[in-house]
Amino acid sequence: MNKKLIAAPLVAILFLLATTATPVLADGGFFTEEMFYDLYQSAQRAVILYGNSTGNSTGNYTQHLILSVSFEGDAEDFAWVIPVPNKPEIAVSDPELFWELYDFTRTEIPSPGFGCLFFGGAAPGDQDGVDVIEEQVVGPYATAILSATNATALADWLNANGYIFPEDGEEIISEYIEKEWYFVATKINAVEEDTGYALAEGAIDPIVLSFASDKIVYPLRITSLSATNATPPQVLLYVFADHIMVPEQYPLYIGYGNWEENAFSLEFGNNVSVEDLSEYEILPELVSTYLSGDEFYLTKLRGWISADQMVDIELVRYEEGDS
């Protein structure tokens, strides 16, 4: 069976609903429109935590990129590649994280005053021009951290090892190689009989990539290899940092529902403390683990970006009047 080429850094098109149907929960409860957009329609959904982490004694800043991983089809046929600027540490988080973030941010609207391409996969190996730096199993994932000096060699390695990589993707891969970025090749490690159904339905732990970075980045450019201009994917980002953060490369609109193609809307931007998150199970531990201090800013950004407008996003401080 050929593996599928799927948009990334994350895929969440899990439910095919008729346009006249009212979306409902499994227990019969109704979705709100906002819940549907946040939890079920976002093609790319990620959490970014950025700061001098509690375990980082060097004073350098670390970015923790948490990608919501969901898919259609069999888990055994699913794998992907994610570019990052430095060698990452890999972990997993709880999928309920995104429910808690939806719930926490849904009642707030900010005042104007204040990206991984998925492929089919197989085991990694060595080849001229490609360095397999590390292989490990993390939660449900088998992962390989790669570096490369040649885009053709990397594409050949991916295809030789079961990752379907498009021929026209070498130009984009070359851009990451020139910047000396790393590539995380990832696939589902195994499907146990008692969990196979859940995995086939797309329920899987988010993957966490932690890497040193002097700026906040989201690798959206590679997604253009599988996205289309006809149906631009929705990108939903939650960012924990020392300020409200916005994408430097795209126009910005303020408030929920101000959705324009090839632009982002700033739907939430507030100072948040660990105590503010205390009613939740996952969020307080998450921010305490990955960030130092008890206070930070949480920003929620949403955009629909067409394939020909996709670039890697650098998130910068929001200044009044930026919109």
Side-chain angles (χ1 to χ4, degrees), residues 37 41 232-235 259-264 302-306:
Y37 277 116
Q41 184 160 312
Q234 182 189 151
V235 181
W259 299 333
E260 298 287 340
E261 190 172 320
N262 299 320
F264 276 84
R302 189 193 311 271
W304 276 266
I305 312 299
S306 56

Side-chain angles (χ1 to χ4, degrees), residues 126-141:
D126 293 319
Q127 182 174 316
D128 289 342
V130 178
D131 184 11
V132 182
I133 296 170
E134 184 176 297
E135 301 175 71
Q136 60 180 314
V137 174
V138 182
Y141 304 105

Side-chain angles (χ1 to χ4, degrees), residues 244 268-273 276 295-298:
I244 296 170
F268 183 98
N270 277 338
N271 184 263
V272 175
S273 68
D276 294 333
E295 293 191 359
F296 31 81
Y297 281 88
L298 171 58

